Amino acid sequence: MVRKKIGDLLVERGHITVEQLQTALADQTSSDKRLGAILVDKGLVTEEQLIDTMAERLSIPRVSLTAMVIDPSVIQRLSVDMARRYTLIPIFAIGNTLTLAMADPLNFIAIDEIKYQTGCEIKRCVATISEITTAIDEYYSVADSLQGIVGHPAEVIDPVPTREQAAETAAEEEAPIVRLVNLIIEKAVKDRASDIHVEPDENQLRIRYRVNGVMREEASPPKSMQKELISRIKIAADLDVSEKRLPQDGRFMARVDGTAIDLRVSTLPTIHGEKIVIRILDPRNVMRSFKALGFKDEVMEAWANVIRKPEGLVLLTGPTSSGKTSTLYATLQDINSIEKNIITVEDPVEYSLPLINQIQINEKAGLNFPSTLRAILRQNPDIIMIGEIRDTETAQMAIRSSLTGHLVFSTLHTNDAPSGVTRLADMGVEKYLVVSALRGVLAQRLVRLNCPNCTEVYLPPEAVLARAGLLKIGQTIEFRRGRGCTQCKGTGFRGMTAIYEFLEVTNAITDLILSDAPLSRIRDAARKQRYLPLFEAGLQDVRNGTICLEELLKETTMIEDYSFTHGQESEQVAHAGSV
């Protein structure tokens, strides 16, 4: 029986017409591409349709790599260089037979070369290019890739070079150390890491990424490459390579997948060499709506109301790396318009926002928060954003600005929203000025989301339920957590969200502040106006199955002890579950 060609099968399945097939075949005569690639490039068939048809035509299995866990010993049988060059990855090894997932199972040159190098018999499976590329990035480490970095690594955008530097650059482009730095950056961006840590140890050079707020170690290059690796990063960031005794700060740009990524570099001398932290500022992560950030409907409604007031002070509180800057930027983008003059003063400016005048603090030049605020007020602003209130002088300037007809946003480091109300008074600002200016306080925390691919039902241990105050009703809640899979790299978590509590400064709160009422009374009064503490806000996500209880307790247990000190456990938990 004569087996049908792939083009004929695509026509038979109704994916393309006979005319489209003939046109593609004509194009193939002047191209070195296969017919399937031409059809996909023209948008006539999808990659999925082509792969399914190819599997039928060649009588080989179609595999899904996203649901597969590959043994590391199988991966080691093939170099990353060859895997990337031919877009394939080994998935099984039984005896002397190696099974490959291939984007092009008709590439017999690749099959013969792998058979020669491994000494194995080769079996073929077919998978999509995107799945294979993702699997290569996932299973092959930075150290593996050092032997042969191909494809399209990140391109470091150096400062404008001199003629001599430009001549040297051409020779350096292919240097292994340059390609290694580019690969480290590219992999971190694709893994959605917020920071890259290059850490010298006594006997090794450690590379770690911070992903979803947690440090994760990557396979590291040899200790012998430490000097060259650190020097390359410092050169790209325009730092003094000869200075190894003092901390330095710099920045450079890298292009990953066509997007310019801002990289902030900080060096710190240690006993084993300079430690480097590269903070990754990806502009694709800042353009997010309130809903995408994690705002619940009630908080979003209250927040939208307060940020549209014509004047007053609005505060965001939370510890370092709790997402305050992202919320501030989302807020500015939401209220931004051509009719408003918005000026920010930040340290540092993390993302460039259109139509907004952003100022970066420069303490060495005398450009600090108080002096900049005084200058801003002469620029006739409508809205002012102060990166952080750090001292009494800045706090007083922020209050005065809000009392003279400006809407002022800023951040504070406090545990919760009610504490933000009293923090300004603790900094030396008169209470009557605080209550006159302050309109609302938003507190937030970042928590990791359960991986949707491997989430499962479980019951937390009694000790965890006791810490959460849920011993009595724990059996009535369906708790969920991530089991760990290839998509979440075995962590059980994928992505992050914020949990929020919002306190509006009403007349009742104002009276309590002026009467020096304790914080507990301010919290009790806030509850009567729909204030929901962070733990209870997060408990809604626990009930929905999007976060696990342990993750919520990790971020909120130390600041929510007051919630269960007045015999209110059942009432509060029921309220949190019914919102």
Side-chain angles (χ1 to χ4, degrees):
M1 183 180 67
V2 178
R3 299 174 69 183
K4 296 180 180 179
K5 296 181 178 180
I6 290 176
D8 296 331
L9 285 172
L10 289 169
V11 173
E12 189 176 289
R13 290 184 172 195
H15 297 321
I16 59 174
T17 65
V18 174
E19 291 76 15
Q20 289 171 331
L21 175 60
Q22 294 301 325
T23 301
L25 287 170
D27 292 343
Q28 190 181 15
T29 60
S30 59
S31 170
D32 59 353
K33 292 184 178 180
R34 293 191 179 274
L35 176 64
I38 293 173
L39 292 170
V40 171
D41 289 345
K42 286 178 171 290
L44 299 176
V45 297
T46 65
E47 192 179 3
E48 294 286 341
Q49 292 168 340
L50 177 64
I51 291 295
D52 288 338
T53 305
M54 193 179 298
E56 178 185 334
R57 164 66 177 78
L58 301 175
S59 299
I60 60 177
R62 157 76 194 278
V63 295
S64 174
L65 298 180
T66 56
M68 185 178 294
V69 178
I70 306 174
D71 189 334
S73 63
V74 176
I75 294 292
Q76 291 172 5
R77 295 200 177 198
L78 201 65
S79 70
V80 66
D81 177 34
M82 193 167 293
R84 291 189 188 276
R85 189 193 314 156
Y86 294 125
T87 316
L88 51 80
I89 190 168
I91 55 175
F92 300 118
I94 301 176
N96 197 42
T97 301
L98 184 65
T99 302
L100 304 175
M102 306 179 68
D104 181 6
L106 295 175
N107 191 340
F108 294 108
I109 294 176
I111 293 171
D112 290 342
E113 186 175 346
I114 293 169
K115 184 176 180 179
Y116 174 77
Q117 289 202 3
T118 63
C120 296
E121 293 298 321
I122 303 299
K123 288 187 66 175
R124 298 171 296 167
C125 294
V126 63
T128 65
I129 294 174
S130 58
E131 286 184 353
I132 293 173
T133 302
T134 300
I136 291 172
D137 289 340
E138 181 178 337
Y139 286 103
Y140 287 100
S141 68
V142 168
D144 297 324
S145 300
L146 179 60
Q147 300 304 320
I149 301 170
V150 297
H152 301 283
E155 175 193 351
V156 171
I157 306 173
D158 288 317
V160 177
T162 63
R163 286 186 178 181
E164 292 78 10
Q165 291 172 331
E168 294 174 1
T169 299
E172 292 177 353
E173 284 301 323
E174 296 303 317
I177 198 65
V178 174
R179 290 181 288 155
L180 175 60
V181 171
N182 291 346
L183 180 75
I184 290 172
I185 294 169
E186 179 190 30
K187 192 171 189 303
V189 172
K190 289 185 175 180
D191 286 354
R192 300 181 69 96
S194 60
D195 305 274
I196 303 170
H197 293 248
V198 181
E199 303 170 322
D201 210 338
E202 184 175 3
N203 300 311
Q204 70 176 108
L205 177 64
R206 183 178 291 109
I207 304 291
R208 292 198 292 172
Y209 296 162
R210 185 178 294 278
V211 181
N212 295 335
V214 176
M215 299 288 279
R216 188 187 77 202
E217 186 166 0
E218 292 290 318
S220 300
K223 175 74 172 177
S224 59
M225 299 190 70
Q226 174 178 316
K227 181 179 178 181
E228 289 80 4
L229 180 65
I230 291 174
S231 294
R232 169 58 188 167
I233 295 172
K234 292 176 70 175
I235 289 170
D238 200 23
L239 300 179
D240 185 354
V241 180
S242 64
E243 179 56 77
K244 299 178 175 63
R245 300 165 300 173
L246 297 173
Q248 297 185 70
D249 294 303
R251 63 184 292 187
F252 64 101
M253 305 292 291
R255 188 172 288 110
V256 179
D257 293 337
T259 301
I261 308 297
D262 192 1
L263 302 166
R264 307 293 172 88
V265 178
S266 172
T267 72
L268 186 69
T270 72
I271 59 173
H272 299 300
E274 288 180 284
K275 169 182 165 61
I276 288 185
V277 175
I278 305 174
R279 187 172 186 190
I280 301 171
L281 300 177
D282 190 338
R284 294 170 295 188
N285 297 334
V286 73
M287 305 295 288
R288 302 180 68 186
S289 65
F290 291 136
K291 202 75 173 178
L293 288 173
F295 274 77
K296 302 294 188 300
D297 290 340
E298 285 195 357
V299 173
M300 187 158 57
E301 181 183 347
W303 183 245
N305 179 55
V306 77
I307 65 176
R308 283 172 172 78
K309 291 183 180 296
E311 42 75 32
L313 176 63
V314 182
L315 294 177
L316 278 79
T317 73
T320 302
S321 299
S322 61
K324 299 188 297 296
T325 300
S326 295
T327 303
L328 268 178
Y329 279 11
T331 300
L332 292 179
Q333 289 178 127
D334 186 71
I335 60 179
N336 191 13
S337 74
I338 196 70
E339 292 86 12
K340 294 177 181 175
N341 179 18
I342 303 177
I343 304 178
T344 74
V345 50
E346 308 169 57
D347 186 21
V349 174
E350 296 197 2
Y351 297 99
S352 177
L353 302 176
L355 204 63
I356 294 178
N357 306 285
Q358 296 172 272
I359 304 167
Q360 181 157 312
I361 290 300
N362 187 344
E363 296 282 357
K364 293 180 180 179
L367 190 66
N368 53 31
F369 280 110
S371 63
T372 305
L373 277 172
R374 282 190 287 270
I376 286 175
L377 291 176
R378 294 191 289 270
Q379 293 285 316
N380 190 27
D382 297 298
I383 298 170
I384 301 170
M385 192 271 274
I386 305 169
E388 182 185 345
I389 294 178
R390 299 175 178 174
D391 50 47
T392 301
E393 188 177 4
T394 305
Q396 290 173 339
M397 286 295 299
I399 292 288
R400 291 172 189 167
S401 301
S402 64
L403 291 175
T404 53
H406 306 95
L407 182 60
V408 180
F409 294 95
S410 191
T411 68
L412 273 178
H413 289 289
T414 64
N415 285 337
D416 56 7
S419 299
V421 174
T422 58
R423 175 68 177 133
L424 290 173
D426 294 339
M427 295 179 74
V429 181
E430 295 291 340
K431 290 185 175 63
Y432 74 90
L433 292 176
V434 173
V435 298
S436 299
L438 195 58
R439 297 292 177 264
V441 185
L442 184 76
Q444 67 181 88
R445 294 291 188 279
L446 285 178
V447 292
R448 292 179 291 174
L449 291 165
N450 290 333
C451 174
N453 187 59
C454 62
T455 183
E456 64 180 8
V457 177
Y458 81 112
L459 183 64
E462 283 194 6
V464 174
L465 292 172
R467 284 174 54 204
L470 301 175
L471 272 176
K472 296 180 182 178
I473 63 171
Q475 299 289 341
T476 66
I477 301 175
E478 185 179 87
F479 296 97
R480 302 189 73 87
R481 67 180 174 189
R483 182 177 61 255
C485 65
T486 57
Q487 291 194 19
C488 61
K489 298 186 182 297
T491 63
F493 301 100
R494 194 175 180 190
M496 301 189 78
T497 189
I499 52 176
Y500 296 92
E501 65 177 28
F502 180 67
L503 174 65
E504 186 175 1
V505 181
T506 61
N507 290 334
I509 301 296
T510 296
D511 292 341
L512 290 172
I513 296 172
L514 292 174
S515 63
D516 288 326
L519 205 54
S520 58
R521 285 190 59 194
I522 295 177
R523 291 191 179 105
D524 290 340
R527 278 189 172 277
K528 297 176 182 177
Q529 56 188 43
R530 300 194 304 175
Y531 161 76
L532 196 64
L534 284 167
F535 175 80
E536 296 175 33
L539 193 58
Q540 297 178 44
D541 293 320
V542 172
R543 288 178 174 272
N544 295 336
T546 54
I547 66 175
C548 68
L549 183 60
E550 289 85 348
E551 179 69 9
L552 176 63
L553 287 172
K554 187 184 76 170
E555 298 297 333
T556 64
T557 183
M558 297 305 293
I559 65 168
E560 296 297 338
D561 290 342
Y562 68 84
S563 297
F564 304 114
T565 56
H566 304 293
Q568 298 174 329
E569 173 186 327
S570 299
E571 177 186 348
Q572 292 175 359
V573 170
H575 174 60
S578 63
V579 172

